[in-house]
Amino acid sequence: MPLATLHSLTFQGVKPIPVQIEVHLSAGLPSFAIVGLADTEIRESKERVRSALINSGFEFPSQRITVNLAPADLPKGTAVFDLAIALGIASASGQLKNASLDDWLFAGELSLSGALKGTRSPFALAVAARRESQRHPALKFMLPACDLPHSQGVPDLEMYGTPTLFDAAAHLVGHGEPLEAARHTPSPKAVDDPVDFAEVTGHDAAKHALLVAAAGQHHVRLVGSPGSGKSMLARRLGTILPPLPFDDALDVAAIRSLKGEGNALSLNRPFRNPHAGSSFMALIGGGNPPMPGEITLAHQGVLFTDEVLEFDRRSLESLREPLETGRINVSRAGHQATFPSRFLWICAHNPCPCGWLGHPEKNCRCTPEQIRRYQGKLSGPLADRLDISVEVHPIAPELLIQGKPDPQGEGSSRGLKQRVEKTRKVQLDRQGCLNGELTAGQVQQHCRSDSEGERLLLQFAHKHHLSSRALHRISRVARTLADLDECTDIQRRHLATAIQYRKSLHGVA
């Protein structure tokens, strides 16, 4: 039968999509057509496939060749279909007799000689193939041999690397040398970070605020003069977060692979620190087709925006959607993509344009109007999504010189991480999510406090005209404070601390 059906993969954003490749040969004038919303990169594969087949010892059929890429309504723009198209033509023309193609996923770009070239994101393809194999246990994955070492860390997947089109065809019909199979590699372990909270002298209030943020997934703002330690504190937040679950680590590594940032699999959570001059597209993602930006690369980790008030206003406002939903939708001409963007946001800025407002030794030169305009760069709706706001004061030189880090103490990253892991387990066992991710209904159910606490919260809400979002966020932080203290019920002191964290440098956020 002059029809062959093969299977491959593509991506819509970072979402893997299985693609069915149908090759049909029919009578008529010799022609070669590819249908199914194929971009230029795929349409040009016709000449690569033709030359690769001829140079690999196959006969290129002088018939009408139609290649359909399904689903037909999904734009496709990658050369990884070359191998599948070439094998499909060989099979439909009767040159691959007794070859079983149904149990395979194919990915690879062909050179004119028939050799397989490396793909752009082999690790992401392997992770996507693993997902498909979980639905179809007999499925195997064939990719270029040069990509096999970059995909060894993906478990539970039968992978084979082929150097050429001829070797791939020989393996499918049961002849020739066997292809190299992926070797099983042990699961990675979280690597100790070179920085540690034990190195931080003083800043007890800021350290406690970051502990609360990590324990309950609460977004934080650090305000302080230049050199007070904001960046140092933020950099160490990732050291007290628990390691990534293995499946999440695969997803994070796949996102980095799609972005072209390597294929290393790690259980350490990502820490992204985009520059204040980063463009809108660099932050949220974009291009055609859309590629992930910094907020997606920070998925399941930390996004640190230092000097946040110097960022472009449009870029900052784009954070609203991912902070609420954990994803970002990017639309371009002919392409739409939804990127995962569930991160812990920590932002830092100076208290005023000159930076010395409130400094014990230096005088601020800014006028009240300049200070108001400067702090107003962070819009009310965006500031409303920050759960914790804390001042970072300069540390006296005497304390810095005399301070001695204790990497095994309670104030070390190791000790704080243990508290974070224990507190997160309590939350997950109780409600199935972290406190910072509670819905409004869950807040009503799990964040009830005693009568004194409710009275305090009502007084504060009426005095400062808090929105319902602000009220819920205060309750969530109070719930985390109670969990850290191993208290079943939220007490007045927990709400008082949460309210204090809610206050900004001047007024209420």
Side-chain angles (χ1 to χ4, degrees):
M1 182 179 179
L3 175 67
T5 302
L6 299 89
H7 304 278
S8 187
L9 293 161
T10 189
F11 289 91
Q12 187 177 35
V14 297
K15 179 183 178 183
I17 305 291
V19 175
Q20 182 173 283
I21 299 171
E22 299 172 314
V23 181
H24 181 250
L25 305 185
S26 59
L29 291 175
S31 62
F32 191 171
I34 298 178
V35 297
L37 284 186
D39 286 351
T40 304
E41 190 175 351
I42 299 176
R43 292 197 298 270
E44 290 178 347
S45 68
K46 292 185 289 188
E47 302 307 321
R48 292 194 299 270
V49 168
R50 185 195 307 272
S51 297
L53 282 168
I54 294 172
N55 290 320
S56 298
F58 293 96
E59 180 183 348
F60 192 81
S62 297
Q63 294 176 270
R64 183 183 180 89
I65 303 172
T66 304
V67 177
N68 179 45
L69 307 178
D73 60 344
L74 177 71
K76 306 167 191 72
T78 175
V80 297
F81 302 137
D82 286 8
L83 176 61
I85 293 173
L87 290 172
I89 292 174
S91 176
S93 59
Q95 300 178 74
L96 287 183
K97 294 183 179 179
N98 301 321
S100 177
L101 304 177
D102 292 338
D103 296 335
W104 286 90
L105 281 173
F106 299 97
E109 177 184 346
L110 288 168
S111 67
L112 299 183
S113 65
L116 269 296
K117 303 174 68 174
T119 56
R120 201 177 319 170
S121 48
F123 192 91
L125 286 169
V127 172
R130 176 179 180 263
R131 288 182 177 174
E132 286 299 303
S133 70
Q134 290 173 341
R135 289 195 288 267
H136 309 285
L139 205 62
K140 294 169 283 191
F141 183 40
M142 186 180 293
L143 71 168
C146 58
D147 285 338
L148 198 61
H150 303 301
S151 309
Q152 301 279 16
V154 180
D156 307 323
L157 175 64
E158 194 174 347
M159 281 189 292
Y160 295 88
T162 176
T164 66
L165 172 62
F166 179 83
D167 291 310
H171 183 83
L172 291 171
V173 297
H175 298 303
E177 295 294 326
L179 296 180
E180 180 185 359
R183 299 185 301 275
H184 174 72
T185 57
S187 299
K189 296 181 179 179
V191 180
D192 289 338
D193 203 292
V195 298
D196 196 290
F197 259 113
E199 302 164 350
V200 179
T201 302
H203 295 309
D204 292 338
K207 287 176 69 173
H208 186 262
L210 293 180
L211 171 65
V212 175
Q217 193 75 3
H218 303 291
H219 307 302
V220 189
R221 170 167 58 175
L222 301 176
V223 184
S225 55
S228 58
K230 303 186 297 295
S231 299
M232 178 181 65
L233 287 161
R235 176 65 184 84
R236 284 155 177 78
L237 178 59
T239 67
I240 64 174
L241 292 173
L244 282 168
F246 185 75
D247 285 345
D248 289 342
L250 284 175
D251 291 339
V252 169
I255 291 171
R256 286 202 306 269
S257 177
L258 284 169
K259 187 66 174 179
E261 294 196 0
N263 306 298
L265 179 62
S266 172
L267 299 186
N268 292 77
R269 293 181 182 268
F271 181 90
R272 306 296 299 191
N273 182 15
H275 189 267
S278 299
S279 67
F280 175 79
M281 189 178 295
L283 197 62
I284 72 161
N288 202 359
M291 294 298 291
E294 287 291 334
I295 62 175
T296 300
L297 293 169
H299 180 57
Q300 299 289 3
V302 177
L303 177 70
F304 175 45
T305 51
D306 196 10
E307 301 299 340
V308 66
L309 303 184
E310 303 301 329
F311 276 75
D312 176 69
R313 180 68 174 261
R314 178 167 169 254
S315 299
L316 282 181
E317 293 303 315
S318 68
L319 295 177
R320 289 195 200 180
E321 180 187 356
L323 287 174
E324 287 293 323
T325 64
R327 61 182 182 271
I328 182 73
N329 298 305
V330 179
S331 298
R332 295 292 181 266
H335 293 273
Q336 290 184 340
T338 299
F339 297 118
S341 303
R342 191 171 299 281
F343 53 84
L344 180 56
W345 183 33
I346 177 169
C347 64
H349 63 83
N350 296 331
C352 66
C354 75
W356 305 119
L357 179 66
H359 195 277
E361 297 179 358
K362 297 188 178 182
N363 296 323
C364 173
R365 304 186 302 271
C366 306
T367 65
E369 177 59 24
Q370 288 175 325
I371 295 172
R372 186 195 63 79
R373 193 162 54 243
Y374 179 74
Q375 294 183 357
K377 290 182 179 180
L378 196 67
S379 70
L382 192 58
D384 206 30
R385 287 165 170 80
L386 289 163
D387 300 329
I388 298 172
S389 183
V390 62
E391 295 181 54
V392 181
H393 300 288
I395 301 299
E398 294 81 9
L399 289 176
L400 290 173
I401 294 173
Q402 296 171 5
K404 294 181 180 180
D406 180 11
Q408 303 299 327
E410 292 184 359
S412 66
S413 290
R414 184 187 299 272
L416 295 175
K417 181 186 287 188
Q418 291 174 352
R419 292 189 65 187
V420 168
E421 290 177 340
K422 183 178 179 180
T423 305
R424 285 191 170 209
K425 185 178 185 305
V426 170
Q427 298 167 42
L428 294 174
D429 290 343
R430 181 179 60 229
Q431 67 232 8
C433 66
L434 300 178
N435 290 333
E437 301 166 345
L438 289 171
T439 63
Q442 290 174 315
V443 169
Q444 295 291 331
Q445 181 180 357
H446 300 293
C447 299
R448 305 292 297 183
S449 63
D450 55 27
S451 57
E452 290 187 10
E454 286 186 0
R455 191 157 48 248
L456 175 65
L457 184 58
L458 281 173
Q459 290 173 354
F460 184 75
H462 286 307
K463 181 178 179 181
H464 297 285
H465 310 289
L466 295 186
S467 65
S468 57
R469 181 191 289 119
L471 274 172
H472 286 160
R473 289 190 177 273
I474 291 174
S475 298
R476 292 168 185 164
V477 174
R479 179 68 267 174
T480 302
L481 287 163
D483 291 338
L484 282 167
D485 288 345
E486 300 182 14
C487 295
T488 304
D489 299 321
I490 298 175
Q491 301 175 8
R492 187 181 190 278
R493 58 191 172 93
H494 300 133
L495 276 167
T497 304
I499 288 171
Q500 186 62 36
Y501 280 148
R502 187 71 189 177
K503 291 180 179 179
S504 63
L505 192 64
H506 298 285
V508 177

